[in-house]
Structure formats: structure tokens, C-alpha cells
Amino acid sequence: MNPIKAVHHKLQLWQGKTSSRIVLSSILFLAVVVPLIFILVRTSTLYQDRELIFNALVGSEQTVLADELFETGFISLDGKSFGDIRLKGYKILDEDNRIINPVDATSLLISSAVPREIPAWLLRDPGLIWTLGLVLLAWCLISVWLGLFVTFLYSLSIGIFSWFFFRACGLHGLALVIVGMCALGYSYHLLLQCFRYLYQSPRPVAAISRGVLVEATRTKMSLAFLALLLVVLPVIPIMLDSDSPLRHQVQTMLSRSLGVTFTIAAFLTVFLGCATVAFEMRDRQIWQVLTKPVSRFSYLAGKWLGIVSLNFVILIIAGLSVFMYMQYLRTAPVSEGLQGDFDRFAVEEEVLTARVESLPMFESLSSEQIAARVEQIIEADTEIRNESHLQIQLRQKLREEVQDQFLAQQRSIPAMVDGQPRAQTYTFTNLQDAKSTGGSLTFSYRFYIGAVDDLETYKAGFEYNGDFNTRHPVTYVPGMTHVSVIPSNYITEGGELKITVFNLFEPNPQYQYKGGMSFDKDGIKLLYKVGNFESNFFRAILLLLIKLGFLAALAIAASTFLSFPVACLVTFTVFASAAMSPYLSQSLQYYFPPSTADLEAGEISLYIQWFFEHIVHAIATAIVFCLDAFGSQRPTDQLVNGMLITWGSVLNSFFKIGILWSGGILLIGTFILGKRQLAIYSGKG
Amino acid sequence: MAEPFKADNRKREQIRMSQRTNTNELIIDAVGLTKIFKDFWMRTKATAVDGITFNIQKGELFGLLGPNGSGKSTTIKLILGLLNTTRGRLTVFGREPHDVAVKRFIGFLPEESYLYPYLNSTETLDYYGRLYGIGRKIRKRRSEELLEMVGLSQVAHRQVGEFSKGMMRRIGLAQALINDPELLILDEPTSGLDPIGTRQVKDLLVELKNRGKTILLSSHLLSDVEDVCDRMAILYGGKIHAEGTADELLVDSDHTLIRMPRIRNDGTISQIESILAQNEGTSIESVEQPRQNLESFFINIVESAREQRIATSGAHTGDTAPFLKGNEEGEVLIDKLIDNDSQVQNAQEVLKKLQSTETEDVQVLDDLVNSEETTARATEASTEQIVSTDADSTIIDSLLSDNDDKDSQE
């Protein structure tokens, strides 16, 4: 045995002893807990000092402190000194002796006390420090007690060596990538071992699930996808454009990393799900399994559980790495000045948050009003007035058009005439939650304008609750989404907010009826924060896992009666249809197959067209009906836009997609497998 | 290595009779069993099994003989529920073959071992043990014993995909025995094995049968079936053309064979011939020295070489696994005894469900949990067991003595 193998063997033996594990656990416990306590103590002191300074600056002693700061660059509070010599001559009060910005002033004064040895992103949130510390401690202890400490040492060694080596070569990005890959690779191995330990119960479902996890790690097919994930994920951060606004970087990172993770996991799910059953049937290993006391359903459920467990590991690994990078990225430097401030504000308030949207209330016509208007239209049209059968068909369309037009009118504001702006007031209700949180609201608007000038920007104005003092103009680019921040104290006690929108564009007089401003149904909305990014991210991961669970059930069920390639094709087709179902649903609103009234005797082509288009419509409708619930769940998009993913939607998806659909598909697969004769004829014909 | 088991026809018959006296339970009952394979268009492609009727009683070692394509494997697949019957009735433990509950008592070795190539021997046995719901300790112990028995303990951590055909058969046999099955179904068990391995398997089968296990053996190797089977059926073209015990089928009732020490005086033969002519009116058809069969001769040669400790790189097989003999050791036995209480209860529940409301079935249930039955079986095992020189007189005594040995070794 060569020396390296001998050392490895000795280490393996040593780590297997209980006494060794106790010693290692103690060392690692101290290695994690001591720095954790140190960081917590330092940050606790920091937060206390920050609060002390802020309260002093907004209190009665602000003038004295401002003078002291101006003269020395420092202030003294409770026996402690805060500030920097470079702050000498720095003014924090305006001409009226009011503090300009106490938050910024506090940050400046406390900056010298911020521990440099602790990353800034870690200091944001004490809860984050606790969470990280506990996760790291659990990670280390599980590694020891599952007998993986030697593997952990190897990964750590490679990571440390790569870090110093590539940084010495000037390849900082590559160093980060290598370290990331080592950490992800080891974490994946660790989590898989955890699941194998969890599934050690002598029950068929657990045994088969465990078998799938072993199969996934020992067959090359799964390894290829995993390697792809481990390579691509750490590479995404270094592909971000550091010159672009931080908000875009954060959104790009979120979107790409979660998108890549889900795509790779989906491909792995389909291939592994189809292979694990189809190949066992082809190679007859299923004979050895189903001649044991294993029911068909247990067999398929075990396969499904194994694949879902693997997906869980992948999502956790990828999710944690993305999450950690988000925490790091949110404290990355921004451009100087106001633009930088807006950028950071956008990151915190519009991306790394959890918001809900509120749409304005619009009036609707009553049935009688609609009917009256339809009658007017029919009466006014001499062509259809006398055609009773045409009237019947058109009435439905006209009713929809009348309602749409009435709503569209409310979403239109004519152009300014003779210096007199036209306006429309929109009411937002049920904003009690926004008022109670006290945070600011984001008013998002996307206007279109019927203009004839080649202007790029146009002017509009906003007024809140009819208060003249709140009026302010804005400049917008037609077709682009803009935001405006509204303080929450504008919301009335009844949870209402009225926003009056003014069209401040006046076209040339020769262009009558032009210059009107309009917007779509969701063209204006109020967004406000109701939760934090961390829990929203976790819910997004859960939703992705639920969707992958459905995909796994589909793949397994398909392979009970189809060969591997055909099962993959069918599964991908259904998956793609489900993903596209929201777009399909929208398209169906504008797809009108010809009616029987349009058919003319003798025109075969019309009959063919009628038949074909109705078939297409039926198939599309069926797809939308069956799969829309799957496709409409887009957690990545919601996360990127900082929109809240509610627990209700998670539970709804869990029951509908996770239990009902996935369970139903597995039951269908069980039925098919039960009817199938697994042993083929092998005799003489 | 265990000495070759010398089959004693008379003792075998005694066992058979005692078993028939104590238990008439039918483990497998097939009546008019037919299997027709059809193509996609539902046209008849082949009639693999054509109206066969047979049954296998508890404790019987039943052989299914026939050339390739005679329907042996198809019959087995029907019994295991891997195929659906076209016509006829087939019950296993009194239930439909597809019933999951009866699989707990069945061990199956297919014609080819279809195992997971990426698992090693230990993992393979562990996996199938889990499917049977066997606890960790018992599973671990049995895996070790089985690997030792089939001669694969040296390659316990090698992936099955790297095994030779013979090794695959051995691990296949091991997985068929992991649950200590009541019904063992073996399809060409000696295929790919050398003569030593073949003899080991045959000895094992007899040992299991002596413990009251029921065995269905399918083979086209006639000597394998003849040596060990109580009854056999000969299939051809999907039909049974002959069925019965070896004696019923093979005894030549028209001749008498007298075995005696070698005759050195040539005149003796003449005198015998004259007596025959006088009393029976016949004559001697042939006089020759008997031959031992090639298998026995081969095994003797190998035994002799082993005693001389001549080196070989081949597989070294071990004794029959203790749990298959009923000799669980130490804690495992205690655990098993505790488990057996629950397993007996579970077995009772399962068997209660399996049994119909017919009164004779209640008798069978009583027999299963009857201590007299257990004692009788143990007594039979102890009195009839000739194989191992370190066989103990009682199970408990062997437990205590072996347990002490193990403790001292550790």
C-alpha cells in the first residue's frame, strides 16, 4: 500500500472511533462557537453604540455634539469617543440648526468602530449571524458523526490551496470559483449522506429511495448534471457586469442562478426519473425487486421520494450559495451621489424584499347598462340590425367590448388643452397593512401616449388624496416602468389612498385627439413591503421543489409503459406545455376559431379549417385547464421582482401540484405497472 | 468445508412421510394452468404453458424438469406474479400470486441474476434485506454469513458489475436466502457453478428441506434434480408428461440389483446363474463392478488436495450460514426471538388473512405456532443433520457454546 493510501486508511480508521469523534466535535464546536460569540459581542456593542449616537443626535444635545464634532471630529458619549479626525469641520446641522440626516451622521460617527475583520454583510443582521453560526456548527458536527471528516479535510485542503495559489497568480475570480466548487461539492456529498442515513429504515419505500440516491451518485448520467451545476453556479457571479447598477446585478444574479439551478435539476429529474424505472424494466432488475414484498405503489413511491430528495439537496446547495452571495452582493459598493443612493434603495426596497401589489378600483357597468349600450350599437348598424342570427352571435362579443371600452376609458387621460391639464383619480383600498408597517410605498406606473412628436420623455403629475401640497411632476418614457416613493402616512385611517394623475402633455393644436395618456390593466399599482427576502427566498425554493416533484412523478409514471427515450420526450413535452400554459392562456383570449355559421356548403376548405382550428382550440384549452396551475407558479420571477410569495400559495401548490397531481400521476403509474406483465416471453415461437 | 451429504433414500422417505403426516398444506397449487403469449394485435404467439396441473406441499423439494423452452421458467414467473395466467387457477400459500403479503415468505433465484451493477455484495444483500423488512443487526449478520457461505466474503466490497457469471449466481443465491424463506424458488441454480459449488448448493437445498422449507427447483440438468428432489415433473411443450417421485419414475421394476463385495471366485457367478435359472427361470444379464459417479470422484480429489493445503486462487466456500441451519448466535438470536414473537404474531395475522374460512386451514395455523411442531422440526433437524461435524444437539446449547466462543474471540 503506498504511503498516501496508508495515511488515508489510518485517518479513516481513526475517524471511525467514537473517542476521535468526540474530540473532533469538541474542537470544531470551539472553532465555530468562539468566533461566533466574538462576532455577536462586537455586533451587539456596535448596535448599542449606533442607537446611542442616533438618539443623541436627534435629542436635545444635538447642537452641543455638532459643535464638538465640527471642532474635533469626535463626539463623546457615555465615556466613549466616536468619530474620526477626518470629520473635523464636518457640519451635521443646517441653517436652522436642525440635523440634516441623522442616519448618515450616525453611520459616519460609528464607522471607525466597525470591526474590519468581520465582513460588512455579516453585520447587517444579528439573526443572520446566528443562523450562519448554527448552520456551520451543524455542518461540522454532521460531517464528523457521519464519518465524513476525512473527506471534509480533503475538500478544505483543496479549497485553501486553490485560494492562495490562484490569488497569488492574480486570478481572484478563479480562486473564488474553485473554493465555491469545493464547498458545494462537499456539501452535496454531506447532504446525500444525511438522506441515506435518514432512509435506513428497513421499509421498501425507504430502501428504494436510498437506492435511487446511491444510483444517482454512482451512475455517470447524474454526475454529468451535477458537475454542470457545480461548475456553472460559481461562475455566474464573475460574469456579472460590475459597472451596471447594483439592482440589475442582484436581479441578474438571482434570475440566472435560480433559473440555471431549476433547469439543471429539471433535466436531471426527467432523465433520472425515466431511467431508474425504464432501465430496471429493460434489464430485469425489477424482477428481483417486485418478487419481494414490495407493492407497485411502494416501488414507484420509493423512486419518487429518492428523486425528490435529490432535488431537495440540489436546491438547498444551490439556494444557500445564491443566498449567501446575495447577502454579500447587497453591500457591494454603488456609484457616488444620489444615483448610488437610489440604487441601494432599489436593492433593499424593490428586490431583496417581499412586497404585495394593490391595483386601483375601477367602476364597472351593470348588466342593464351593458345591454342598453349593446342595443344602441346594434340599432346604429344597419347591416346587422336586420340579421337576427348575426345579432345573437355578436351580442356576446359586443358585451365584452362594451365592458372593455368602459374600463379602458377609465385608464385614459386626454391631453392638456389650452394649458388646462386633464386628470383622473384612482382609489387604492385595503392598505391597512401598509400603513401599519410604516414603510414607504412604491407607486409603479407605465404609461403610453398617443403622440406625434418624436419626444423621448413626457410629463405627468401626481397628487395624493386631493391635497394640493402633495402635487409633484414626473417625467416618464412611454412604455417603460417607473416608480415613485410615497410615504405610508399618506394612507388614510380607512386604508385608502387616492392618487390623481395629471396628463401634462399638450400637443400642437393641429393634432386634435392626440396626446392622450393611457395604461394597461396593471399599468399603475402600489407596492409595499410585508415580509423579508429571507423567508420569501425559502418559500421560492419550496415552490421549485414542488414543481420538480410533479416532474419526477410524471417521468416515473411515463416510464412504467414507455421506453426511456419516449418517456423522456413525453415528460419534456408535458413539462414544456405546463411552463408555457400562462402564455397559452393569454393567446387563447385572442384566438377565435370560426363558428358553424361561417361554414358554407361546398367549401371543403372552410370545413377543414373549422375542424382543425377547433381541435387546436380544444387541445390548448385542455392544456391550460390541466396545467395552468403549474405554469402560473413562477417563484423566480416573483423573487426577482421582490414580490411576496405567500405561504398560502405554497400550501395551495403543495396540495394541488404536490399531492393531488403528483399523487394522481403516481397512482396512474401504479395502475399501469400493475396491469403490465413484467416478464417477457423468452421461449421458442 | 462441509462433507458432501450422502443422500439416504430410506431416511428421505421417512422425512417425507413424517411431513405428510404433520402437514398437508399446499404451498403451490396449480390447476389447468395455461399461459398464452400474444402479440400486439392479440394474435397467439406461443402457448408456453398448456393446462398443467400440479401441487407442491409444504416441506417438499419439487423439481421441474424439461428441455429449453418447455415452460419451466414461465411456470415460475406465473407463480411469482411476473406474468398473468391466461387460464386456470394458481395459488401460492392459498392466495393469488400477485399478493404482496406472500412474497415475504418467498426467495427467488432467477435464471440470470439481475442485480444492480453499481452495488457491491454487501450492499446488494443489505438492499434486499431491507425490502424484506429485516432489522439492521439481523441483516448485517445474515449478510456476513451468506457471503461466507457462498464464498464471496473476500469480495464483499467489490461491485457486482465486475463479477463473473459464477460469482453472480452465488450472490444471487445469497439474496434469495436473505429472508430465510419458507418457499425457495430456484431457476437453474447450479448454472455457472463448478462441481464443488454445485454440490454445495445441493447440500444446502437438502438441509433447507430438512428444516421444513419448501423448494421448487427448475433445471435441465437431470442429475441435479435426481439427487435432491422428492418429486419432479417433466415438462415438454408446456405440458407435464410425467410426474412423481424419483423412485416412481426411475425404478426399473423389471430388474433386481444386488450389491455385494467383489466376487473373487469365478465359479460363484456360475452357481448364482444356475440358481437363477432354477428358481426364476432367468439368467444374469451382466456382471460388472459398480462405478462411483464422476461428481463424487471429482469432489474427493478436491477434498484431498485441500487437506494437503495446495494453493488455489478460486473461491473458498464456507459452511451453511448458521441462520439457515437455525443456529442464530448470541444477541441476534435473542433479538430474533423477540422479533419472532412479533413476527409470529405478524405471521399469524398474515396467515390468518391468507387462510380462507375453511376449517382445515385453522389447523395449519395452529401447526405454525404449535411448539410441538417447532420441537419436532428441531428434533428432525438435529437427528437428521449429518453434514457438519460441529453440529450441536440442541439449538440452545449451540447458542450458548458458540456465543461464549464469539465473546472470547472478540
Side-chain angles (χ1 to χ4, degrees), chain A residues 52 208 307 336 670:
Chain A
L52 177 69
I208 293 170
I307 296 174
E336 295 289 331
T670 303

Side-chain angles (χ1 to χ4, degrees), chain A residues 557-572:
Chain A
S559 55
T560 57
F561 65 101
L562 296 170
S563 63
F564 171 73
V566 180
C568 289
L569 192 62
V570 167
T571 308
F572 273 126

